[in-house]
Amino acid sequence: SPSACSQQRSITETGANNLRCRKSGCVEVILSEQENNEVECEGMDSRIDMFAQILEEQYSIKFTSHSRSTRGPVRTVGRISSGSKGRLNPRSLLFHTSQNLKESLRGVTKAILDLDGNLSFSLFAGQIIGVEGTFTSRTVMRVSKIYEPLPLSPLKMPLSRILRSDDKQGAQKKCPMTIVISAGPYTVSDSPDNYQPFFEFLHNMRMEKPDVLILIGPFVSQTRSTRMSPQAIFSAYISKPLEVFCSISPKTTVILVPSLEDKIYQPATFPQGAMTARSLKIPESVYSLPNPCYFQLSEIGIGVCTVDLLEHFVAEEVTRTPKRDKTTRLARHILGQRSFYPFSPTSHINRDITMTPFTKPVYIKQAPDILILPSKQSHYAKLIDNVMVVNPGHLTKSQSAGTYAKMTVQPTKGEDVQHTSKEVHIGSRIQASIVKSTQMFRW
């Protein structure tokens, strides 16, 4: 069982406010300090220039400025926006390029895109793409081809490195690693102070004893009305039960990630900082991380964004004859745009104007092995481009039980010793499932 495993694993999280290192059960957690406290915005121009280099490397072609004076086909890179009010419309697409790519455009950095009728596409405001086409007028570019950035791929892990780690950890490392992921709300709609679903969930986890338990907000939903303050509710119904849980299950590492729907944040802004442990009385053995966040669990990279990206994507996307389902398209867009929130501008969230999609907390430099994206849309767990993408659903749905996700990361196999030069993706060792909480809850 997982409880029999006493292997030492480490979590490294970038984006925390301070530097901490401590052991919690069988997992050693290392949180690293941000380089500085100021928001470092790369700027739209530098981001477009960066993607121009990425696309040139990926497609082995040269992108130059789009120019109204050019008669022949041109290629360029820029950002999509709407030329009209409201939702993005394929008939009014604006294309913004950078100062470095507008050299022959006479100081103008945007044009209107006219998409060829035979093109298959999936576009949204804020997306950066490459286009190829010809100018049919001074302001309109007829697009014949779209170049989307290929999604980031997780690093391949050499088996020799994994096996060396196994040797250091001993035979106990051969136990599978279990990860349970749950997203709020944790109460039923007609009883805002009734956290019985959460209590019973923790009781079930005490029986299962997972290695890692990731709890995602909302912990105190904005839809709840009660006389207690949000901080008092969290302390009484979340922190206190977790303290009991951690004392009974000390080998389970607990991680908390907030949600924009948490009433604790007034007003809520994105990105969100980690919940303050002292004011909310979060147990010392529990790790509070920001939203979004990226951390490593031994050799496993995990990314979490609690914004309902799938719902936003469905509302923002304009598409024609898409080649993939919406969940796959979203995952590829997130990893292709290198951002936990690639949409801009948006009315879906109250985003702090000083925190743009190009700041460190939102920017993705390395594809995770596991990408957690809670959503009200249908729950799922699927391997997409070697990344295990998971929507655990919500633990409760109005007045009924919901779902949560359970993962098992299998250890390296004995026969792999003969193939130590081989490189593999961690995703191939992950088994994921969505668990219905109906049978577990009795309220």
Side-chain angles (χ1 to χ4, degrees):
S1 64
S3 60
C5 298
S6 59
Q7 63 268 32
Q8 299 297 321
R9 305 190 180 99
S10 64
I11 293 180
T12 303
E13 196 281 325
T14 56
N17 293 325
N18 51 22
L19 183 64
R20 294 182 292 169
C21 177
R22 62 177 182 267
K23 293 182 180 179
S24 173
C26 64
V27 179
E28 182 180 1
V29 179
I30 302 175
L31 303 183
S32 59
E33 188 175 11
Q34 284 186 345
E35 294 181 3
N36 54 68
N37 294 325
E38 297 181 358
V39 176
E40 296 184 4
C41 180
E42 294 180 16
M44 184 59 68
D45 272 17
S46 59
R47 185 162 171 80
I48 291 174
D49 292 340
M50 179 193 74
F51 272 95
Q53 295 180 0
I54 291 173
L55 289 169
E56 287 181 354
E57 293 175 359
Q58 291 180 342
Y59 291 95
S60 299
I61 56 177
K62 183 68 175 178
F63 287 88
T64 59
S65 169
H66 60 280
S67 171
R68 292 176 302 202
S69 61
T70 302
R71 296 182 179 180
V74 294
R75 298 190 192 100
T76 189
V77 178
R79 177 177 61 94
I80 296 293
S81 71
S82 177
S84 60
K85 293 183 179 180
R87 183 175 176 176
L88 193 68
N89 189 323
R91 296 183 178 180
S92 59
L93 291 175
L94 289 183
F95 188 77
H96 304 258
T97 192
S98 68
Q99 293 292 329
N100 290 335
L101 293 175
K102 58 112 182 159
E103 53 195 26
S104 59
L105 202 59
R106 300 177 182 177
V108 179
T109 58
K110 65 180 179 181
I112 300 173
L113 298 186
D114 177 19
L115 302 179
D116 187 282
N118 296 323
L119 275 179
S120 174
F121 57 82
S122 169
L123 302 174
F124 54 87
Q127 182 181 14
I128 297 178
I129 59 173
V131 294
E132 179 178 326
T134 56
F135 279 88
T136 58
S137 70
R138 292 179 58 85
T139 59
V140 179
M141 181 182 186
R142 178 69 171 177
V143 178
S144 57
K145 191 170 184 178
I146 295 176
Y147 298 90
E148 291 190 32
L150 301 180
L152 288 167
S153 180
L155 292 176
K156 287 185 177 181
M157 181 65 63
L159 284 178
S160 57
R161 177 178 171 183
I162 298 175
L163 293 172
R164 282 197 301 270
S165 176
D166 289 353
D167 292 338
K168 292 180 180 180
Q169 305 295 347
Q172 293 171 332
K173 177 71 178 180
K174 297 302 181 180
C175 296
M177 181 193 300
T178 56
I179 303 172
V180 173
I181 307 161
S182 174
Y186 296 96
T187 66
V188 288
S189 59
D190 59 347
S191 302
D193 296 334
N194 183 1
Y195 276 79
Q196 191 62 28
F198 180 64
F199 302 156
E200 295 194 19
F201 174 72
L202 286 183
H203 174 76
N204 185 271
M205 292 301 102
R206 288 200 297 267
M207 302 296 291
E208 292 191 13
K209 294 180 173 59
D211 293 301
V212 181
L213 177 59
I214 301 175
L215 299 176
I216 298 170
F219 298 99
V220 183
S221 177
Q222 291 183 347
T223 61
R224 312 301 193 224
S225 59
T226 178
R227 295 179 180 179
M228 297 176 64
S229 69
Q231 292 75 16
I233 294 175
F234 189 97
S235 299
Y237 298 116
I238 301 296
S239 295
K240 190 173 182 179
L242 282 178
E243 185 176 4
V244 176
F245 172 81
C246 292
S247 65
I248 298 175
S249 304
K251 291 186 178 181
T252 297
T253 296
V254 181
I255 298 172
L256 302 182
V257 183
S259 164
L260 289 176
E261 296 181 9
D262 270 310
K263 202 171 182 180
I264 300 169
Y265 291 89
Q266 295 292 333
T269 58
F270 182 78
Q272 291 176 287
M275 293 180 291
T276 307
R278 180 174 299 179
S279 63
L280 298 175
K281 299 180 180 179
I282 299 174
E284 291 185 1
S285 58
V286 173
Y287 296 91
S288 180
L289 303 185
N291 170 37
C293 62
Y294 177 95
F295 59 93
Q296 285 189 298
L297 178 61
S298 293
E299 74 273 18
I300 304 172
I302 301 178
V304 184
C305 184
T306 68
V307 176
D308 196 334
L309 292 174
L310 186 55
E311 189 173 71
H312 293 192
F313 179 62
V314 172
E316 295 282 344
E317 181 195 35
V318 55
T319 183
R320 180 194 294 164
T321 60
K323 298 178 181 179
R324 304 174 181 86
D325 63 90
K326 60 183 179 182
T327 58
T328 301
R329 294 199 305 273
L330 172 63
R332 290 181 64 88
H333 281 316
I334 291 174
L335 297 175
Q337 295 295 307
R338 280 94 167 136
S339 173
F340 278 112
Y341 197 87
F343 314 108
S344 178
T346 177
S347 59
H348 294 285
I349 60 176
N350 178 25
R351 187 169 60 211
D352 187 331
I353 59 173
T354 64
M355 302 291 275
T356 73
F358 321 115
T359 57
K360 287 185 176 180
V362 182
Y363 188 68
I364 300 177
K365 293 184 178 180
Q366 173 60 51
D369 299 292
I370 300 174
L371 181 59
I372 304 172
L373 304 174
S375 174
K376 296 177 183 178
Q377 302 284 329
S378 299
H379 50 73
Y380 62 89
K382 62 170 67 175
L383 192 63
I384 301 175
D385 295 325
N386 298 308
V387 177
M388 181 59 70
V389 185
V390 182
N391 169 22
H394 300 279
L395 194 67
T396 64
K397 295 182 178 180
S398 184
Q399 300 183 30
S400 61
T403 58
Y404 62 94
K406 184 176 181 180
M407 295 185 181
T408 302
V409 184
Q410 297 295 338
T412 52
K413 299 179 181 180
E415 56 267 25
D416 289 334
V417 176
Q418 301 177 357
H419 306 282
T420 55
S421 61
K422 181 180 179 181
E423 292 185 337
V424 297
H425 287 290
I426 301 298
S428 62
R429 295 162 48 203
I430 300 175
Q431 297 175 346
S433 61
I434 302 297
V435 181
K436 292 185 179 181
S437 54
T438 306
Q439 297 180 351
M440 182 178 66
F441 297 150
R442 299 179 294 276
W443 30 269

